Amino acid sequence: MINAAHQDTRIGVIGLGAMGRPMAGHLLDAHGALSVTGRTKRDDDPLLAAGATWVDTPRDLAARSDAVLLMLPDLPQVEDVLQGESGLLAGVTDPLLLLIGSTSSPTGVRELAARLADETDGRVHVVDCPVSGGEDGAKAGTLSIMLGGDADDAAEAARLLAPCGRPVHLGPLGAGEVAKACNQMVVSATILALGEASVLADRSGIDLDTLWGLLSGGYAGGVLLDSRREKLVTGDDSPSGVAKYMVKDLRFANDVAIATGTDAVLLPTLRAAFDELVERGYGDRDIAVTRRFVAERGAADVTPGASDEAGEPGHPDATAERA
């Protein structure tokens, strides 16, 4: 257990991307002492202007931190900042709470934690803390934060991360990653359905803004539709949460399914769909690219009125998809 005095807890953050930067801002506002590092120091960085301290290496960050949050894509990137003469582990002399915000393999997180405990004589304690809520949630401080780890360590992690959203301890180390895998199954299924439904409606002559405005008040509504509605309507899939990460996330979900003896029905279809989406070159687009993906898969030979099997008068003709 990490026993840092609450008022004196020094926090470090590595990974100042779309999620990590706004989270770091909330941590700075709430806890005061914040150190950050990354590939390049920005002289106009608003975090530094607000009082965060820039350090040159992960080693320096560890030396001046009681807890370090890593908001990195996956464990290979975590390993990159841990190892080497300038790595984080080289700066660990006192107990350190390592908060892994990556969406990663539960087994991989447990193996990493065991190895770090051995290499540091138990000084490094690991809690996995993947998040959900997207860039909007990170900025608003309303993320769902999924914690796995020792109860005392998770309690301290929850206290530190509370300014960023709602941290909940779900079980032993790796439980947060299992929860995130479940989350990503729901998100991938939902955004694929939203993209596909957008194409069906558009080709049937239905105004998408009107449609999603109506359906958002029913069972089809939710946070994901609210956050991606404009992108689905306009076809703008400029990146926020990029689609390619869903491939690894669904792979981890499949690992959990195998480990638990779960014969998943939907998961194989989701994996195949996002594998194909990335293969088609859409991996760096926002997840709302599912609309474009579905439209281009079935763009050939769309016959007006083809869906009107009964030949009823007044049935809207199928139209070419609007940009």
Side-chain angles (χ1 to χ4, degrees):
M1 175 183 177
I2 304 299
N3 291 311
H6 285 187
Q7 67 272 23
D8 297 325
T9 304
R10 302 166 302 166
I11 305 174
V13 176
I14 301 177
L16 300 177
M19 302 295 289
R21 178 169 292 277
M23 291 177 71
H26 292 307
L27 296 175
L28 176 62
D29 290 341
H31 301 297
L34 181 77
S35 300
V36 297
T37 192
R39 292 191 183 94
T40 306
K41 180 181 179 181
R42 289 171 40 191
D43 292 333
D44 61 345
D45 194 325
L47 276 175
L48 304 186
T53 299
W54 176 272
V55 296
D56 291 330
T57 67
R59 176 177 181 166
D60 296 333
L61 188 84
R64 57 184 296 124
S65 301
D66 302 304
V68 173
L69 172 64
L70 302 180
M71 291 302 299
L72 301 168
D74 199 359
L75 294 183
Q77 291 77 30
V78 170
E79 292 281 8
D80 286 344
V81 302
L82 289 176
Q83 305 301 328
E85 292 183 2
S86 299
L88 190 145
L89 291 181
V92 175
T93 57
D94 297 313
L96 178 73
L97 182 61
L98 189 64
L99 307 173
I100 298 181
S102 314
T103 301
S104 303
S105 160
T107 301
V109 167
R110 289 191 285 265
E111 291 174 349
L112 174 64
R115 197 186 83 228
L116 295 183
D118 182 63
E119 292 178 0
T120 64
D121 294 325
R123 287 190 296 274
V124 172
H125 296 231
V126 174
V127 169
D128 54 309
C129 59
V131 302
S132 180
E135 190 175 346
D136 293 341
K139 290 178 178 178
T142 57
L143 294 170
S144 295
I145 306 172
M146 298 159 256
L147 303 179
D150 170 83
D152 290 334
D153 291 338
E156 176 66 357
R159 182 186 72 81
L160 294 174
L161 295 175
C164 301
R166 183 180 176 226
V168 175
H169 185 208
L170 297 168
L173 198 64
E177 301 295 356
V178 173
K180 183 61 184 286
C182 295
N183 179 84
Q184 296 303 81
M185 287 179 63
V186 175
V187 170
S188 61
T190 303
I191 197 62
L192 187 59
L194 290 172
E196 196 162 293
S198 293
V199 174
L200 292 178
D202 187 67
R203 288 179 174 173
S204 299
I206 297 175
D207 179 79
L208 291 181
D209 192 46
T210 302
L211 174 73
W212 292 126
L214 173 65
L215 299 189
S216 65
Y219 283 162
V223 174
L224 187 59
L225 174 56
D226 291 344
S227 73
R228 294 305 194 276
R229 175 176 165 181
E230 183 176 353
K231 287 182 176 294
L232 290 166
V233 170
T234 64
D236 170 23
D237 48 41
S238 55
S240 174
V242 295
K244 65 184 178 183
Y245 290 141
M246 200 63 76
V247 171
K248 74 174 179 66
D249 297 350
L250 292 172
R251 184 175 76 248
F252 298 143
N254 190 65
D255 292 343
V256 174
I258 293 171
T260 57
T262 303
D263 187 7
V265 175
L266 188 57
L267 182 54
T269 300
L270 294 172
R271 293 190 70 197
F274 278 89
D275 284 348
E276 181 184 341
L277 185 152
V278 171
E279 288 169 2
R280 285 174 175 260
Y282 300 139
D284 289 321
R285 309 306 297 169
D286 186 84
I287 55 174
V289 76
T290 52
R291 176 187 169 184
R292 187 202 301 244
F293 168 61
V294 171
E296 294 190 3
R297 280 182 97 233
D301 300 325
V302 177
T303 304
S307 61
D308 182 16
E309 295 180 358
E312 297 176 0
H315 189 283
D317 288 343
T319 61
E321 188 194 20
R322 293 184 288 272

